[in-house]
Amino acid sequence: MIQRTLYLNKIKEFIDKPFIKVITGIRRCGKSSILLLLKDEILQRGADEKNILFINFESFNYADIKTSEHLYTYVKELLIPGNKHYILLDEIQEVQGWEKAVNSFMLDFDADIYITGSNSHLLSSELATFIAGRYVEFKIQTLTFRECISFNKELRNSEKSKLEKFEYFLRIGGFPVLHTASYSIESAYKIVFDIYSSAIL
């Protein structure tokens, strides 16, 4: 997994600070990976694994968590009274009224909270109403050219010149999924089109 230090260094400054860390960006730009890297960072700082709760709402394992009430009840039952917890919620917009539950986590528990979302409504007026002044937002972009070279082993080890590699990067783009295998330009364009189409829906 690529270490996206550009973003990680910014977010690390807010670990254990009394703010909800909101990580936003288009689908497939790498938000989930950043959340996993943050989990690793928290563990390295001495947190116990049992005090870290990681939920990816795109996983069918959590399909029953549909409302803020369900989310609050589920999380509350997993927390250990008296312990400091780290709550990491991936693609939180899948839960209706999620902002009410997240606000309650801040009020009711000793918890450091991180959420990600792709939906353009994630930072809506409703969110501002519930957690105004309690969150910091980090906007994640697709890979930079430098990140692309680090991520794409085939391109990194290619005999192409740096300019040729950059031209390839400009044509194919920075979505991480495009650099996990070898794609034709036509296939890459289709993948990007599908990503943007799903983001609009």
Side-chain angles (χ1 to χ4, degrees):
M1 190 182 301
I2 184 171
Q3 295 289 326
R4 303 196 68 184
T5 54
L6 176 66
Y7 301 110
L8 285 172
N9 289 340
K10 292 179 181 179
I11 304 173
K12 283 178 184 178
E13 293 183 14
F14 288 89
I15 291 177
D16 288 324
K17 299 296 192 301
F19 295 96
I20 298 166
K21 275 62 76 172
V22 181
I23 301 169
T24 61
I26 191 169
R27 285 188 179 277
R28 308 306 298 271
C29 71
K31 300 183 302 298
S32 297
S33 295
I34 287 176
L35 206 59
L36 288 169
L37 290 168
L38 284 168
K39 179 182 177 182
D40 290 341
E41 174 68 22
I42 291 167
L43 286 169
Q44 290 174 16
R45 293 188 180 202
D48 193 314
E49 179 101 39
K50 69 175 182 288
N51 293 325
I52 300 177
L53 179 60
F54 188 106
I55 302 175
N56 183 340
F57 289 102
E58 290 191 325
S59 168
F60 200 70
N61 289 324
Y62 305 104
D64 291 338
I65 304 177
K66 300 181 183 299
T67 67
S68 59
E69 291 82 3
H70 291 153
L71 176 57
Y72 184 86
T73 300
Y74 179 82
V75 169
K76 183 178 180 180
E77 290 176 352
L78 292 176
L79 301 187
I80 303 169
N83 286 13
K84 169 68 177 286
H85 290 88
Y86 297 85
I87 302 174
L88 295 83
L89 307 173
D90 198 12
E91 299 297 351
I92 187 67
Q93 77 279 346
E94 299 296 329
V95 178
Q96 184 178 0
W98 61 267
E99 58 273 18
K100 297 177 183 178
V102 169
N103 182 57
S104 291
F105 297 156
M106 285 282 290
L107 296 174
D108 299 344
F109 311 123
D110 183 6
D112 194 21
I113 304 168
Y114 303 78
I115 64 176
T116 78
S118 307
N119 195 309
S120 60
H121 300 297
L122 184 65
L123 289 177
S124 65
S125 58
E126 288 185 8
L127 174 63
T129 299
F130 280 96
I131 60 174
R134 297 181 184 176
Y135 73 88
V136 287
E137 181 188 7
F138 302 92
K139 297 180 180 180
I140 309 302
Q141 306 293 333
T142 54
L143 299 176
T144 64
F145 176 56
R146 179 177 293 180
E147 288 176 325
C148 173
I149 294 297
S150 297
F151 191 74
N152 189 329
K153 183 178 180 180
E154 182 178 339
L155 186 62
R156 184 172 66 249
N157 297 331
S158 168
E159 294 182 358
K160 293 179 179 179
S161 67
K162 190 171 185 178
L163 178 58
E164 289 174 320
K165 292 177 181 179
F166 184 64
E167 289 174 343
Y168 173 81
F169 169 73
L170 288 179
R171 294 187 69 186
I172 199 171
F175 283 103
V177 67
L178 297 175
H179 301 280
T180 58
S182 180
Y183 294 101
S184 67
I185 296 299
E186 292 74 18
S187 295
Y189 288 169
K190 175 167 176 31
I191 292 169
V192 172
F193 177 80
D194 290 344
I195 292 172
Y196 275 104
S197 297
S198 67
I200 293 172
L201 295 176

